[in-house]
Amino acid sequence: MSFQNETKISVTLTQNPRPKPADASLSFGKVMTDHMFIMNYTEGKGWHDPRVVPYAPLEMDPATQVLHYGQAVFDGLKAFRGKDGKIRLFRAQRHAERLNKSCKALCIPEMDVDLIRRSFEAIVEADNEWVPHTQGTSLYIRPTVIATDVMLGVHPSHTYTYFVICSPVGAYYKEGVKPVRILVSDNHVRAVQGGLGEAKTAANYAASLSAQQEAQAAGYTQVLWLDGVERKYIDEVGTMNIMMRIGDEVITPPLAGTILDGVTRNSTLQLMRDWGLKVSERRISIDEVMEAGRKGTLLEMWGTGTAAVVSPVGELGYKGEKLIIGNGQTGELTQKLYDAIVAIQYGQSNDAHGWTSEVKVPVSA
Ligand SMILES: Cc1ncc(COP(=O)(O)O)c(C=O)c1O
C-alpha cells in the first residue's frame, strides 16, 4: 500500500462558515457541512493528496466515467455527541474495511484502511461544530469513490476521486421506535449471487427504485427482497438487513454474496450472542416466515441499519396476504437492541467491544 500511518492530511478551513441549522429542524441528508475530504488516484502514482477543503461542487466533464457506467462505491456511518461532550464515531474501522471491499468488487484501487479511518476523523474534526447536540441526532458521514476518467467506453477507470461529505441528521424516531409495513417483492429482485449485492454501489440503489415506488403506492414503507434465483429465500429489507425471532431462535440470512454485510447487523448479532440468545445465520424462506406468522411463533421481525439502528416490522404483505407481527407493536428484543446500541453510540454504557472511537477536537481559544 502506498500510504503509511504518518501520511499527512492537509487542512484548509473555510473562511465563510455557514449558519448551522437548529437540531429540531434536522431531517436526513438535506444539509451539508462546511468542509469535505478529498483524495485522488492516478495510475502509476497511487492515492495522493489527501486533504480537507471547504465544501464545494465537483467540476466534471460530461464524459466522466462514473456518469455513464456507474463505477462508484460509497459507505455511511455516524458521529455522535455524547452528554459528556465527546464526539464518537461508531465502528469506523469496520466501515473503512467495507468501503475497501466495495472498491475491490468494482475494480477500484483499494485505499489504506487506516487512512480511510483518518479521513473520517479529519472531516469530523474540521466540522465538529456541526455534530448536533440533542440525543438521537448525529452527523452522518458519507465516504464515496467515483471513477473520473474522461472517455466513453466500458473499462476500469485509471483515475478516481475519493471524497467524504457530512450531513447533520435529526433523530430517526422522534416519538419512540415505530413499526413499519413491508411488502414482499416477488416481481423485482435486487441482487443475485455473483453480482454486486454485497457491495455498496450506486447500481444497487438504482435497481431498487421501481420496487420501492410500487410498495409505496400500495401503502407500504419498504420492500422485502427475496433471492434473485428462486424468489423464495429472504435477502434483506429496503436498505437494511433483516432479522426475525421465531420461537426461541433469532434468524438472519447469511452473508452469501447477495446482501450487504451490515455493520448494525454485525453489532446486533454480537450483542445477542453476548446475551446468550440462540442466533442463526441461515437461509430462511418466505414460506417459513409466513407459516410461523400464521401459527403465532413469529414473535418479532426487524431491519437493522445505520440510519434507524433497528426498524420493527409490524406488518408483512405477501401475495395478497397480510401478516400482523407482534400486534403491530415494537417487540421486546427489538427495543432492547435499539436501547443497547444507542447507549454505546452516545457513550452512556460500557463499550465492551471497543466499537466507538473518540474524535479529538481542538480546544478553541
Ligand atoms: C442494502 C443495504 N443493506 C443493509 C444496510 C445496513 O448496513 P449498515 O448496518 O452497515 O448501515 C444498508 C445500509 O447501509 C444497505 O444499504
Side-chain angles (χ1 to χ4, degrees):
M1 274 298 147
S2 47
F3 276 111
Q4 302 300 321
N5 270 352
E6 63 274 15
T7 303
K8 193 163 163 29
I9 298 171
S10 79
V11 178
T12 309
L13 296 179
T14 181
Q15 295 303 305
N16 303 299
R18 282 168 296 123
K20 290 153 196 74
D23 285 6
S25 72
L26 293 172
S27 54
F28 187 88
K30 294 206 172 117
V31 182
M32 301 303 148
T33 59
D34 278 331
H35 299 92
M36 59 195 206
F37 177 96
I38 298 200
M39 177 163 72
N40 303 95
Y41 177 88
T42 314
E43 206 166 80
K45 195 171 170 187
W47 286 103
H48 57 92
D49 292 320
R51 58 205 185 272
V52 171
V53 292
Y55 189 95
L58 298 172
E59 194 171 287
M60 259 195 247
D61 188 291
T64 301
Q65 283 263 304
V66 66
L67 300 177
H68 301 269
Y69 311 113
Q71 200 191 359
V73 298
F74 66 98
D75 216 284
L77 68 157
K78 284 177 170 176
F80 303 87
R81 190 188 296 277
K83 282 222 169 68
D84 55 6
K86 289 183 181 163
I87 297 174
R88 294 175 179 84
L89 296 175
F90 186 67
R91 307 209 65 180
Q93 179 75 14
R94 203 170 168 97
H95 281 282
E97 285 164 4
R98 188 172 70 186
L99 181 66
N100 253 350
K101 228 175 127 186
S102 298
C103 283
K104 206 167 167 205
L106 273 283
C107 294
I108 296 172
E110 290 170 61
M111 295 173 272
D112 178 71
V113 172
D114 192 52
L115 187 65
I116 301 178
R117 214 180 28 71
R118 285 173 58 219
S119 72
F120 303 157
E121 289 162 8
I123 191 67
V124 173
E125 186 180 329
D127 279 331
N128 69 81
E129 289 176 13
W130 286 85
V131 183
H133 289 73
T134 314
Q135 176 93 12
T137 62
S138 57
L139 187 72
Y140 184 76
I141 305 164
R142 168 54 60 85
T144 307
V145 189
I146 55 169
T148 52
D149 273 9
V150 176
M151 76 172 272
L152 300 180
V154 179
H155 68 274
S157 183
H158 305 284
T159 59
Y160 298 87
T161 298
Y162 168 56
F163 60 87
V164 189
I165 55 175
C166 297
S167 172
V169 298
Y172 192 90
Y173 296 111
K174 291 196 166 64
E175 290 149 13
V177 178
K178 197 169 159 273
V180 291
R181 302 177 68 217
I182 299 291
L183 181 66
V184 182
S185 181
D186 55 0
N187 59 339
H188 294 274
V189 296
R190 177 187 172 273
V192 288
Q193 256 169 26
L196 291 174
E198 65 182 345
K200 209 159 162 61
T201 184
N204 287 334
Y205 299 85
S208 73
L209 297 177
S210 64
Q212 175 70 13
Q213 221 171 38
E214 266 181 36
Q216 280 173 351
Y220 290 89
T221 314
Q222 280 196 349
V223 172
L224 184 83
W225 302 103
L226 299 179
D227 78 277
V229 178
E230 295 180 68
R231 311 223 178 151
K232 182 174 171 191
Y233 295 99
I234 290 180
D235 260 358
E236 52 189 338
V237 58
T239 56
M240 287 183 285
N241 294 110
I242 185 83
M243 298 185 174
M244 52 231 108
R245 179 153 82 100
I246 299 181
D248 66 352
E249 184 187 18
V250 175
I251 305 155
T252 195
L255 301 175
T258 57
I259 64 170
L260 192 74
D261 180 359
V263 174
T264 322
R265 175 188 184 279
N266 177 276
S267 310
T268 46
L269 287 179
Q270 181 65 57
L271 287 179
M272 288 188 287
R273 286 179 174 132
D274 291 351
W275 297 337
L277 300 181
K278 182 175 168 201
V279 177
S280 308
E281 294 174 66
R282 67 162 171 92
R283 293 222 292 181
I284 178 160
S285 69
I286 184 64
D287 293 337
E288 183 180 342
V289 172
M290 296 302 287
E291 187 51 30
R294 287 181 211 113
K295 281 198 322 222
T297 53
L298 173 61
L299 304 175
E300 299 180 48
M301 183 183 252
W302 64 92
T304 64
T306 295
V309 182
V310 295
S311 180
V313 178
E315 183 185 321
L316 207 57
Y318 180 53
K319 291 192 189 295
E321 184 177 349
K322 279 185 184 174
L323 203 65
I324 303 295
I325 304 168
N327 292 324
Q329 306 294 313
T330 301
E332 187 191 336
L333 179 57
T334 313
Q335 184 70 49
K336 186 175 171 186
L337 285 168
Y338 177 81
D339 293 341
I341 298 267
V342 167
I344 295 170
Q345 290 172 332
Y346 289 89
Q348 290 159 338
S349 72
N350 180 30
D351 179 11
H353 296 284
W355 286 339
T356 60
S357 49
E358 190 185 336
V359 177
K360 297 280 182 205
V361 172
V363 183
S364 48

